[in-house]
Each structure stands twice: as structure tokens, then as C-alpha cells.
Amino acid sequence: MQCQAKRGDPRPVGVMDSGAGGLTVVREVRRLLPCESILYFADAGRLPYGPRPPEEVRVFVYQIVKFLAGKGAKAVVLGCNTATAHALDYVREKVEVPVIGVIGPGVRALASSPVRTAGLIATEGTVRSGAYQRAIKERLPGVEVIAEPCPDFVPLVEAGLVDRQEIQRAVENHVQVFRKTKIDALILGCTHFPLLRPWLEAALPGVRMVDPAQETAEELKKVLEDTGLANSPNGCAEPSGPELEFYTTGSAGDLQRQIEVFLGLTGARVHHVDLSML
Ligand code: DGL
């Protein structure tokens, strides 16, 4: 990932999530945009977002986007489906920097191959918001959506995927509905869930797994290029490579461990943040 020359806008991109799930988005952003520096924000002290009222999530997401913009982020990705469902439009109207969500990209990823019946697994907040169902209806009218809230997946991922038996049990429990009504594709509509992909694939053989992360990174790339914010329009950046900085409202040690497990990065710079102090 070493580049020869410095070009473009070197400011970082912000990515937020309620916890470690958004690291699945960071993974794809780093793959597609290896020259962009990233600031990651995990609101682990207030996780889960799933059961919270939309108004509360909106306030949290706005605080975080402002924090990241204050740290110099030139664009922010809501790497969280619940945050996107409840807060994308709200935050976009209130801040200057471009804000990107994961639901539009998720539906584009779904549309990339033929589909008749799609499963959706997400938090209860995302399912209840109807954001995916509406976006699918608009882009793919006629596609039937079967939505299954899976709030119990989130703590299993946050814990670092250690309790494999419990994961197996939870996955078996939630896929029953997709065995009754056959689905062609399953949207992993919570950024924590791609980390459960091996279990989901084993439980639903032949079903296409749809992870919005890659398409989200594509959208970010396009937005940065279209707005002249990309660091590396010709594939170049600082010789030292991009910077990665992590913030959490929870435990810095926990996020450090999650970064090791999910991104394979040791010694990441992680800071604890108290948003009420800002
Ligand atoms: N990772 C989040 C999402 O994509 C939600 C997890 C939570 O409930 O906080 O929806």
C-alpha cells in the first residue's frame, strides 16, 4: 500500500458505527481506497442502537458526524444500517461534508443479480423503519422481502465471535423463516452480520449473501472523485501510507481487540471519547 507521490485531498474519511460492525465497512474502504486515511468511531458506550427510538439514534449520529468533521473528516460513512435508516437524511441536511449510508448501496448490491425473494436480517430498528423494504420496492418492484430482526447477533459479534456454540444456535434459530419460504438472496442488513457469514452460508446453502460494504466503498469512491475530495485520483498518496485512527465511547481495549480480530491490525491507535464532554 505504499504510494509514490502525494496528490489530491489528504484529509481522512470518517466511518461510524454503534460498535465494531462498521469495521466490515472499513475493511472494504481500505481495499478499494488504499490511499485514504480513515477515522473510525464506535459508539460502543451506547450500543445497541437497534432497540433505541429513531429520534435518539438521530441525535447520537449527528453528534458523531460533527465530532468526525471536527477532527477533519472530509466525508463520513454511516457504516451502520440502523444509523442510516434513522439518521441519514437528517444528518445530510445538517452538515457540510458528504454523508454516505449503507442501505442504498445494499440494495444496489442486491440488484446486481436476479432475485425474486430476498431475505433481510437486521436490527429491530432497521426492520421496523421499513427503509430497506421501501428502497427495494423502488428499485426492484415485485421482489418479495422477508425481514427477520436478529438483535442477538450483535452482542455475539461484539464479544469477538468467541462463543461458537451460541452463534450456531442463534443462526439456526433465525434462518428457520428462510427455510420455510425459499429466498434467493439474504441481505446482511447490519454491519455486524458479515462477520457471521461462514455460519449463515453453511445454514443457507445456495443463497446469495449480500453485504452492502463493498458497494458502500464504491459509492464513497465515486463521491470523493465527483467532489474533488479524493486523495489519490491517480492511485497515489503520501509515501508513509494512510493513517488510521479509532475513537470509541466504550472501552479502548475492547475496540483494540476487535480491530485485531476483525481487521488483523495490531497496535491500532484507539482513543476513548466522552461525547457528553464536548
Ligand atoms: N451495526 C449496526 C447496524 O448496522 C447495529 C448494531 C446495534 O444494534 O447497535 O445496524
Side-chain angles (χ1 to χ4, degrees):
M1 270 190 237
Q2 293 286 302
C3 309
Q4 283 77 45
K6 182 167 175 173
R7 297 220 189 117
D9 189 331
R11 287 178 300 158
V13 164
V15 180
M16 66 75 56
D17 181 43
S18 58
L23 296 174
T24 58
V25 177
V26 169
R27 201 166 53 187
E28 291 306 321
V29 171
R30 292 182 76 217
R31 227 194 301 256
L32 189 69
L33 300 166
C35 298
E36 296 294 346
S37 292
I38 299 172
L39 304 177
Y40 184 79
F41 195 106
D43 200 3
R46 301 188 290 196
L47 173 136
Y49 278 10
R52 292 185 184 274
E55 304 72 39
E56 191 176 35
V57 173
R58 237 166 261 156
V59 172
F60 291 174
V61 176
Y62 178 46
Q63 278 179 335
I64 294 166
V65 173
K66 268 200 316 190
F67 173 86
L68 290 169
K71 291 275 175 202
K74 59 186 174 187
V76 177
V77 180
L78 306 186
C80 172
N81 292 263
T82 316
T84 302
H86 295 325
L88 180 63
D89 295 341
Y90 176 81
V91 173
R92 269 185 177 160
E93 274 185 15
K94 289 181 98 74
V95 299
E96 299 284 314
V97 296
V99 183
I100 291 147
V102 284
I103 293 181
V107 174
R108 273 202 299 285
L110 176 69
S112 67
S113 291
V115 56
R116 288 206 342 238
T117 307
L120 166 68
I121 52 173
T123 65
E124 58 274 60
T126 301
V127 170
R128 233 183 295 117
S129 76
Y132 264 105
Q133 294 90 325
R134 278 193 301 279
I136 292 169
K137 200 167 180 181
E138 217 166 273
R139 188 171 177 125
L140 297 165
V143 169
E144 190 191 346
V145 183
I146 298 164
E148 168 79 358
C150 306
D152 45 336
F153 285 176
V154 175
L156 292 168
V157 173
E158 283 290 313
L161 302 174
V162 281
D163 193 342
R164 298 193 162 236
Q165 260 186 346
E166 190 51 42
I167 293 171
Q168 188 66 41
R169 247 197 308 273
V171 166
E172 265 309 304
N173 187 24
H174 286 293
V175 298
Q176 291 308 324
V177 60
F178 305 123
R179 290 199 181 121
K180 275 191 213 119
T181 309
K182 222 184 133 6
I183 54 169
D184 316 300
L186 180 67
I187 304 169
L188 310 179
C190 171
T191 47
H192 285 73
F193 298 175
L195 296 158
L196 298 171
R197 194 168 172 151
W199 286 272
L200 292 161
E201 277 174 342
L204 293 168
V207 172
R208 176 165 63 100
M209 297 289 147
V210 178
D211 175 2
Q214 195 183 334
E215 196 62 46
T216 303
E218 295 280 357
E219 179 165 331
L220 173 64
K221 180 169 189 271
K222 185 167 182 339
V223 168
L224 294 180
E225 286 172 0
D226 290 354
T227 50
L229 292 172
N231 189 29
S232 50
N234 299 311
C236 299
E238 296 134 87
S240 59
E243 307 266 314
L244 287 174
E245 201 90 35
F246 297 85
Y247 300 91
T248 177
T249 54
S251 146
D254 284 353
L255 183 57
Q256 201 138 33
R257 275 185 290 280
Q258 289 159 333
I259 292 164
E260 274 178 39
V261 175
F262 302 145
L263 291 183
L265 274 180
T266 47
R269 286 202 297 269
V270 183
H271 314 273
H272 172 80
V273 179
D274 184 351
L275 284 182
S276 66
M277 304 296 283
L278 299 175

